Structure formats: structure tokens, C-alpha cells
């Protein structure tokens, strides 16, 4: 029954390297008695198979059904050619090609099979902190260049022992071509280090770190994408010490717990939350705390997290262990640990060992390190379950550098350098936008250098030479300077809120027209004002400002971010016709005479008080008036407190007044006067907060109705950092849904400034296409 023998040459692109793809191909081919080979190349994977036509067709459909769980196939191309006379099927060495487009997989949490070995006394990798296989382990953080092969990773200097090599060479083994494959005999080692020397190794080092953590000390732990600073999350004293040394006053800290059951003891873990916590990316999930455990003094149950971890917060950031080292550590410490990025506040995460000891030395009491270098720094990702499912507040470890698909392929490679805060950058080539890991706030030189380095690294990794560079309108941002210093065919300035809307629209595969609602803290507008309450009609590279929150002065400029009280003063004065004496509550008495004089002068003259339409700042003002936050110790604190304070069951709300014009303006005066009346009546803060959320939601509904009646547009994109607020998203989207709108919410890209670089790329891509 000899059928016709044909040879097929198959090119597969996508995330197909380092995820067990070739063993999968090997199994599928040999099971059908096909001959030929599979190999990684710069573009992905190439397969040649020879055999009977029916068997080859069957093989092809097996490929099309998808590979192993972690693989993502973006294209399969097959052509037939003359048989070459192969006599068996093999996996052959990688080839470096001219066009390097193979996608590097993100890092993957330890799989169940590896976890079982880790705690199996009979296994040769029993308690080995660096075990991994083709289904799990480090990827992006250890890759130096493509193709993804051991010599191109930071594992290159570890020579495999014969047992590891046998696994690596055996196509039927789980560790076949697992590039970071290692064991206690040949792989990286754990060490306690200090002053450049090793104090203890292996179990001894682990034991000393565990002991230190249990005694309330701060331990720097080298992980996948950088160092963490860890301490006992149940000890208020330990957390306070960490905060003091890290200069991080009040911003909530993330906690790692040993398993799902431990997460459940702290937080409400419903099914979507469970899936998020257990996903291969193992992000920090912001979950509702089970019970508010305020103050109380004495030592709580060991399982309970100290109030100092997330003071006054309704949510807690929780994550599960994602490396073997984390599993060993959590098992031994037997309590939740604070795990926060190893940096001084606002600096990038430390990755280099010497640099980490230098920078973190004043913070950490002990360093638990190892000798596998980290190539790319990658902070933990952060997600919150919202109406749309998990919404990424930080898209980094476990997700980067997975590309986001663009609505239309770009002809010329594009770089978007991103925003000033929560910076990421984005490189686009063809239909793929490679959205980078989290870089941080570009307020210091280390962050700027991390951005520069990151761009070079990803550009080399994906062979992108960006000829078009998109950047913010703000001339003083470090990102803008970096963009303008890069030689390119075109530099494209993109307004901040236009980028927000474009990001939301593009991740949904669209280019508009839509009504984009971009609410955030700050972004330079085309009129020089500080925008942040924008209704933009966006289509391709064009945008028209249909409406915005009415301008009020931003007293002291950007510094107002820290002073919700001052923002309240600005809104009060505006709401009462510019006359502070007409304000019917004694709010201004909060200020000492000197400060009040200064504020009154700034509001009267406009000196150091640019006009702003920021909805973020309006949240600040209302939070201050309601008494939930007078001074913000970190960005967004007032808005968070207002969200947590809002009482359920309150359905009525304040009203904005819409003023006709080009564009329409939304006057917050009536809202502020409504809040003041409630404050006067002694209404609860929770009621005020709920009425304010309702007001903002119905403002969106009203403007959407106006725009629809004028333009017919019935698609509304909600974007900007203000929409990290789950309550606001829920209320606004429900209202729009019932009004017959199609609502676009971010799912892949952060709605905050972490998504700006992707939006810049989306706008620049349209600019290029339309020849602008
Ligand atoms: Zn594994
Ligand atoms: Zn070995
Ligand atoms: Fe923004």
C-alpha cells in the first residue's frame, strides 16, 4: 500500500521556541512514520517532512490544532517540493537566519511536574532551587539573543552534566532542549552573599535567609527578573522597617503566599481570581481583603497580614510562588512574605549582583542570591479583576515581550517611547507590537538608562530597526528627549490622551471612529493646558476634542498631585464664583494662614497654576472634601480611598453641567456644591463617594448621547488611569450598555500610562499609512 511520497517544507511563526514545540513536532511526526527534521530558526520553527500524502495531511492538521500549551502559533506556511530521501525524523541544530523574528517566550511559573520533583526526596533534583523544564522556567529574563538556544542565554557558562545532557538530547524527555536545564551537580547555586563574598551556599544559605525572615529581618532575594525585598508580612515592625529604609511611606506592598488556600485566608478568591493567581504569568492580583483588620495592637494570628502592608486599603496585592526558590522559601517560612521590587523608590529593579548589593545594601539585612545572571529586568505584573476580566495595571514579568497584534501591519518599523510615569516602550514590526516590560517613572537617570538599554535589547532581539519614532508632546520629558536624539525618518508627536484612546481601540483590532473617554491625572494638551478629562473622537491618526472637564487652576502645578486639599480649594473657589468667602463650609480653615495666602494668590493670579481638566485631580478634590484623604502619600491614593469608601446601594448622584461650545465643557461646579451640601449635612463619606462615582458615570453617558446624536458614533472606549477604578468602570459601562453603546475596555494593555507607548505606536502607524 505504498502511496505517493511528498516532501513538505513548513515554516511556523509565533511563540514556538522554548515551549516544548520541537518535541511536540517530533512526537507527531514519528507517530505517523514521517521522515525529515525540525529546527529552530530566527523566524520560528522550520519543519521538513516526507511521507505518504495522507499522513502528511494528518500531521499538518495536528499542527494547526496548536502545539503544547505554552506555544502560540501566529502563522503556518507549507509548500511541497521534491522528496529529499530522508531516512528518519530528527531534531537538528538551530540556524541563524537573516530575518530574526522568532518570538521569545515570557518567563513561566514552575510547572506541576517540576514542583513534584522539587519535593520528592527520591528525585535527583530534590530541593534544587533552579529546576525547570520545557514547560516552565526562565525565558525572556535570560535570553541574550535569538534563536533561543543555551549559548544565547545567561546559562551559557553552565556545562550540563551527563545526566542533564541525556535529558536535553532525548526527544521523549520533558527536558529535551530545555535551555535552562540544570541540576545540583551542574547548575546555578544558591548563596548568601555579602561584600562580594559568599557566606553560605545551598541549603545553608536558604536556612539562614529563612531564619532571618522569621526574626523580622529584611532579605534581598534574587528572583527571575530582578531582586525582591522580602520581609515577614505578619510583622508590623518588619514592614515598618522596610518602608523606612526603602522610603516608601504608604503605597501598598505586595504579598507572596505559599498556596491558594493561604490566599483565600487573606482575600476573597473567586473563580476568575483563582485562574489569574494560578496563570503561568503568576501576577500580583489585587484582591478584596477578607476582613478589615484595623489597628488592634497585639500580635495577630501568624496568617494575618500586618496593617502596615497596605494601610487603610480595601485590597491586597497577592501572588503565588513562581520559581522553585520561592516554593522552598515560602514552604520553610510558613507565613506570608512582603515581596516588593528590589529598588529604592522610583528606581528600576536591581538585576546586576554587584549593583544590587550596592543599591540594596542599606535596605537589606541579608542577600540570598545565585549565580545565574539576569539579562533583562522584569518587575512582577499586576492585575485586577474588573468587568472585562483581568485588567493589567502593570504588564511585565510573565507577559512581556509577548506581542500585541496591531489592527493593520506597519510598513516601517515604529518605536513608541512611552509616557513619563509607569513608562514602557513599544516596538512594532509587521503586525506585531512588542510592548516592553515595565521600566518605571522616568524621573531619574537609572530609569532613563533602563529605557535606553531596554530599547536596544528588544530591538536586537526582534531585529527591529525603528525608522519612525513616536513620543509625547511634552518637550521636557526625558522620553521625548530620547526620542528626538534617535535618528529616524520621522518623529511623530502624539498627544497623551489620544495615545490612551488609540491604545484601547487598537488592542480591540480597530482604528475608529470611536468616542474615547480618557480620564487620568495629567497629560499635556495641544493648547498647553494640563489635560485629563477628555472626550476625544478618534479615527486613525485624527482626533477631535468633543468635550472636556472645565478648566480649574492646578495650584502649584504638578506638585498638586500630593495635595488633594489644595485641589479641593481650587475646585471650591471655582464652584463659588471665584469668591472664597462664599464657600459655606470652613474647609479653607484647614490651611495655615501662610499656605492659604499662597493658595489664594495662585488661584487669583494663575501664577504657577496652569489650567487643568484632570478628572484624577477632581477625584482628589472630592476625596479631600469628603475627608477620606487630605494628603496623598503616593500617586492615586486619594482616588483609591474614594473608591474603597463608596457605599453600595447608593444609586443617586451629583450632576455636572454641560456647557455648549467647541468643545463642550463639563462644569464640575454643581458636583462640588452638591458635595459641600452633603458635608454640611454631615452625610457619610461613603455616601458622598458613591454619589460622586455616579456623577462621573452619568457624565460619560450624557456626553456619549450628545456625540452620538451629532455623529452617529456608538462605540465608546474607556481609558486612562482613572479607569483602574473597578467601581467606576462597572457603573459607567453598565450605563453605556443600557444606552445601546459598544464599550471598549482594556484587556491586554494597561489603561494607565503603561499603555501609552502602544497607543503612540498605533497613532504613528496610522500616520505612516495615510502618508502624514
Ligand atoms: Zn517544569
Ligand atoms: Zn546536571
Ligand atoms: Fe495618562
Amino acid at each position: 500500500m505504498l502511496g505517493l511520497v511528498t516532501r513538505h517544507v513548513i515554516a511556523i511563526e509565533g511563540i514556538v521556541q522554548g515551549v516544548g514545540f520541537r518535541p511536540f513536532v517530533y512526537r507527531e511526526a514519528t507517530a505517523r512514520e514521517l521522515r525529515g527534521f525540525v529546527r529552530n530558526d530566527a523566524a520560528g520553527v522550520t519543519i521538513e517532512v516526507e511521507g505518504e500524502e495522507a499522513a502528511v495531511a494528518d500531521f499538518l492538521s495536528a499542527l494547526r490544532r496548536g502545539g503544547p500549551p505554552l506555544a502560540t502559533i501566529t502563522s503556518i506556511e507549507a509548500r511541497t517540493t521534491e522528496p529529499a530521501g530522508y531516512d528518519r525524523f530528527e531534531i537538528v541544530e538551530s540556524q541563524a537566519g537573516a530575518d530574526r523574528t522568532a518570538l521569545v517566550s515570557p518567563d513561566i511559573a514552575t510547572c506541576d511536574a517540576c514542583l513534584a520533583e522539587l519535593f520528592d526526596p527520591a528525585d535527583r533534583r530534590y530541593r534544587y532551587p533552579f529546576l525547570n523544564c520545557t514547560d516552565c522556567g526562565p525565558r525572556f529574563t535570560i535570553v541574550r539573543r535569538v534563536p533561543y538556544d543555551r549559548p544565547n542565554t545567561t546559562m551559557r557558562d553552565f556545562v550540563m552534566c551527563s545526566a542533564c545532557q541525556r535529558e536535553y538530547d532525548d526527544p521523549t524527555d520533558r527536558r529535551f532542549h530545555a535551555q535552562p536545564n540544570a541540576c545540583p551537580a551542574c547548575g546555578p547555586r544558591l548563596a548568601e552573599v555579602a561584600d562580594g563574598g559568599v557566606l553560605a551556599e545551598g541549603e545553608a544559605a536558604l536556612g539562614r535567609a529563612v531564619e532571618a525572615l522569621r526574626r523580622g529581618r529584611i532579605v534581598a532575594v534574587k528572583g527571575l527578573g530582578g531582586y525582591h525585598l522580602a520581609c515577614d508580612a505578619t510583622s508590623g515592625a518588619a514592614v515598618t522597617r522596610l518602608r523606612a529604609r526603602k522610603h516608601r511611606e504608604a503605597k501598598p506592598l505586595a504579598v507572596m503566599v505559599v498556596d491558594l488556600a493561604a490566599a483565600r485566608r487573606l482575600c476573597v478568591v473567586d473563580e476568575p481570581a483563582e485562574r489569574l493567581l494560578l496563570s503561568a504569568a503568576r501576577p500580583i492580583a489585587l484582591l478584596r481583603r477578607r476582613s478589615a483588620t484595623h489597628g488592634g495592637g497585639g500580635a495577630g494570628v501568624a496568617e494575618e497580614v500586618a496593617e502596615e502592608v497596605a494601610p487603610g486599603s480595601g485590597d491586597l496585592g497577592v501572588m503565588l510562588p513562581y520559581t522553585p526558590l520561592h516554593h522552598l522559601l515560602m514552604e520553610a517560612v510558613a507565613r506570608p512574605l512582603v515581596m516588593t521590587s528590589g529598588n529604592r523608590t522610583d528606581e528600576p529593579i536591581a538585576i546586576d549582583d554587584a549593583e544590587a548589593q550596592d543599591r540594596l545594601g542599606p535596605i537589606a539585612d541579608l542577600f540570598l542570591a545565585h549565580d545565574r545572571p539576569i539579562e533583562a529586568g522584569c518587575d512582577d505584573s499586576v492585575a485586577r479583576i474588573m468587568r472585562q476580566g483581568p485588567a493589567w495595571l502593570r504588564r511585565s514579568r510573565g507577559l512581556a515581550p509577548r506581542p500585541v497584534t496591531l489592527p493593520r501591519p506597519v510598513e516601517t518599523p515604529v518605536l513608541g517611547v512611552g509616557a513619563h510615569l509607569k513608562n514602557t516602550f513599544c516596538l512594532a514590526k509587521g503586525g506585531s507590537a512588542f510592548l516592553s516590560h515595565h521600566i518605571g517613572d522616568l524621573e531619574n537617570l537609572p530609569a532613563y538608562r533602563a529605557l535606553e538599554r531596554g530599547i536596544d535589547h528588544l530591538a536586537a532581539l526582534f531585529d527591529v530597526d525603528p525608522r519612525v519614532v513616536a513620543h509625547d508632546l511634552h518637550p521636557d520629558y526625558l522620553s521625548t528627549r530620547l526620542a528626538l536624539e534617535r535618528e529616524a525618518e520621522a518623529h511623530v508627536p502624539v498627544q497623551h490622551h489620544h495615545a490612551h484612546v488609540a491604545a484601547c481601540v487598537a488592542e480591540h483590532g480597530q482604528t475608529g471612529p470611536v468616542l474615547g473617554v480618557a480620564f487620568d491625572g495629567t497629560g499635556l494638551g495641544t493648547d498647553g493646558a494640563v489635560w485629563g478629562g477628555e472626550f476625544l473622537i478618534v479615527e486613525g491618526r485624527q482626533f477631535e476634542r468633543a468635550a472636556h472637564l472645565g478648566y480649574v487652576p492646578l495650584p502649584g502645578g504638578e506638585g498638586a498631585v500630593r495635595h488633594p486639599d489644595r485641589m479641593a480649594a481650587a475646585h471650591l473657589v471655582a464652584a463659588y464664583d471665584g469668591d472664597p468667602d462664599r464657600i459655606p463650609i470652613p474647609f479653607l480653615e484647614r490651611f495655615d494662614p501662610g499656605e492659604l495666602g499662597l493658595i489664594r494668590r495662585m488661584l487669583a493670579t494663575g501664577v504657577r497654576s496652569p489650567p487643568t481638566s484632570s478628572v484624577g485631580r477632581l477625584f482628589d478634590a472630592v476625596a479631600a472634601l469628603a475627608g477620606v484623604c487630605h494628603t496623598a502619600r503616593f500617586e492615586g491614593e486619594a482616588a483609591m480611598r474614594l473608591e474603597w469608601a463608596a457605599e453600595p446601594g447608593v444609586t443617586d448622584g451629583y450632576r455636572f453641567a454641560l456647557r455648549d461650545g467647541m468643545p463642550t465643557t463639563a462644569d464640575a461646579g454643581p458636583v462640588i456644591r452638591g458635595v459641600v451640601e452633603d458635608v454640611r449635612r454631615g452625610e457619610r463619606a461613603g455616601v458622598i463617594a458613591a454619589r460622586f462615582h455616579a456623577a462621573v458615570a452619568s457624565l460619560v453617558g450624557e456626553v456619549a448621547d450628545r456625540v452620538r446624536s451629532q455623529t452617529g458614533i456608538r462605540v465608546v472606549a474607556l481609558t486612562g488611569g482613572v479607569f483602574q477604578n473597578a467601581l467606576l468602570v462597572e457603573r459607567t459601562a453598565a450605563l453605556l450598555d443600557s444606552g445601546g453603546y459598544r464599550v471598549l475596555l482594556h484587556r491586554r494593555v494597561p489603561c494607565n500610562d503603561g499603555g501609552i507607548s502602544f497607543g503612540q505606536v498605533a497613532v504613528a502607524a496610522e500616520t505612516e499609512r495615510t502618508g502624514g
Side-chain angles (χ1 to χ4, degrees), residues 270-408:
D270 58 8
E271 209 254 309
E274 179 178 326
R275 250 182 296 139
L276 180 64
L277 282 170
L278 291 172
S279 66
R282 291 286 158 105
I284 296 168
L286 298 185
L287 302 174
R288 183 122 308 237
R289 292 169 90 151
R290 202 161 262 298
S291 61
T293 50
H294 289 293
V301 196
E303 278 297 343
E304 235 164 54
V305 162
E307 176 60 20
E308 289 82 351
V309 172
S313 154
D315 288 356
L316 187 66
V318 177
M319 67 179 147
L320 297 179
Y322 54 84
T323 69
L325 174 57
H326 291 152
H327 282 286
L328 294 171
L329 197 60
M330 296 310 299
E331 177 87 0
V333 174
R335 66 190 68 184
L337 290 182
V338 164
M339 281 277 201
T340 184
S341 291
N343 55 12
R344 291 192 294 246
T345 287
D346 297 334
E347 286 191 356
I349 190 165
I351 58 171
D352 176 77
D353 296 315
E355 186 200 327
Q357 285 187 53
D358 185 39
R359 279 167 57 195
L360 306 181
I363 306 177
D365 298 308
L366 187 148
F367 278 77
L368 187 58
H370 58 75
D371 52 356
R372 185 181 68 204
I374 298 170
E375 181 65 20
C378 216
D379 289 80
D380 295 315
S381 293
V382 182
R384 188 175 191 196
I385 307 277
M386 311 253 283
R387 184 184 177 91
Q388 68 268 41
W392 296 101
L393 307 190
R394 187 197 286 158
R395 182 189 181 277
S396 203
R397 181 196 42 79
L399 295 146
R402 196 184 284 275
V404 182
T405 305
L406 288 165
R408 278 191 282 255

Side-chain angles (χ1 to χ4, degrees), residues 419 421 496-497 500 518-523 531-532 635 719-722 751-754 756:
L421 300 177
H496 184 92
H497 303 93
H500 269 309
F519 287 174
D520 66 358
T522 178
W531 289 12
E635 188 228 344
T719 185
V722 166
C751 71
N752 60 38
D753 287 1
I756 287 289

Side-chain angles (χ1 to χ4, degrees), residues 77-285:
E77 271 177 44
R79 62 186 169 86
T80 52
T81 180
E82 286 299 302
Y86 296 120
D87 58 358
R88 64 202 156 110
F89 194 89
E90 39 182 1
I91 294 174
V92 303
E93 281 307 305
S94 295
Q95 243 188 8
D99 186 28
R100 302 190 309 266
T101 55
L103 303 186
V104 174
S105 163
D107 300 294
I108 306 155
T110 309
C111 73
D112 290 344
C114 284
L115 201 53
E117 291 170 346
L118 184 65
F119 291 109
D120 175 5
D123 194 275
R124 72 187 189 91
R125 290 188 178 85
Y126 177 57
R127 297 186 63 79
Y128 179 57
F130 306 98
L131 89 174
N132 63 81
C133 72
T134 49
D135 293 331
C136 73
R139 296 289 188 276
F140 172 60
T141 55
I142 62 165
V143 178
R144 291 193 162 136
R145 61 191 75 86
V146 289
Y148 174 66
D149 277 335
R150 194 170 176 111
N152 290 339
T153 71
T154 63
M155 285 296 291
R156 65 169 300 156
D157 294 332
F158 295 95
V159 179
M160 274 185 275
C161 68
S162 57
C164 285
Q165 189 70 47
R166 256 197 312 280
E167 297 164 334
Y168 185 89
D169 291 334
D170 177 359
T172 64
D173 193 277
R174 202 173 93 246
R175 295 195 164 88
F176 174 71
H177 281 226
Q179 306 306 345
N181 188 27
C183 78
C186 67
R189 279 159 203 258
L190 202 58
E192 182 199 344
V193 296
D195 304 324
V198 172
L199 301 185
E201 279 196 303
E203 286 290 348
L206 181 70
R208 285 171 55 94
V210 168
E211 181 58 27
L213 286 165
R214 294 183 66 98
R215 284 203 325 260
R217 314 296 289 272
I218 296 162
V219 176
V221 182
K222 186 175 178 183
L224 272 184
Y227 277 80
H228 275 129
L229 288 165
C231 77
D232 181 351
T234 67
S235 160
V239 179
T240 301
R241 199 152 47 239
L242 174 59
R243 284 194 178 282
R245 291 189 194 167
K246 199 178 142 130
H247 302 293
R248 179 154 155 160
E249 200 183 344
K251 195 173 176 187
L253 297 162
V255 162
M256 185 177 274
V257 294
V258 66
D259 57 17
L260 209 53
R264 283 187 206 288
R265 285 194 285 275
L266 300 177
C267 294
V268 179
V269 182
D270 58 8
E271 209 254 309
E274 179 178 326
R275 250 182 296 139
L276 180 64
L277 282 170
L278 291 172
S279 66
R282 291 286 158 105
I284 296 168

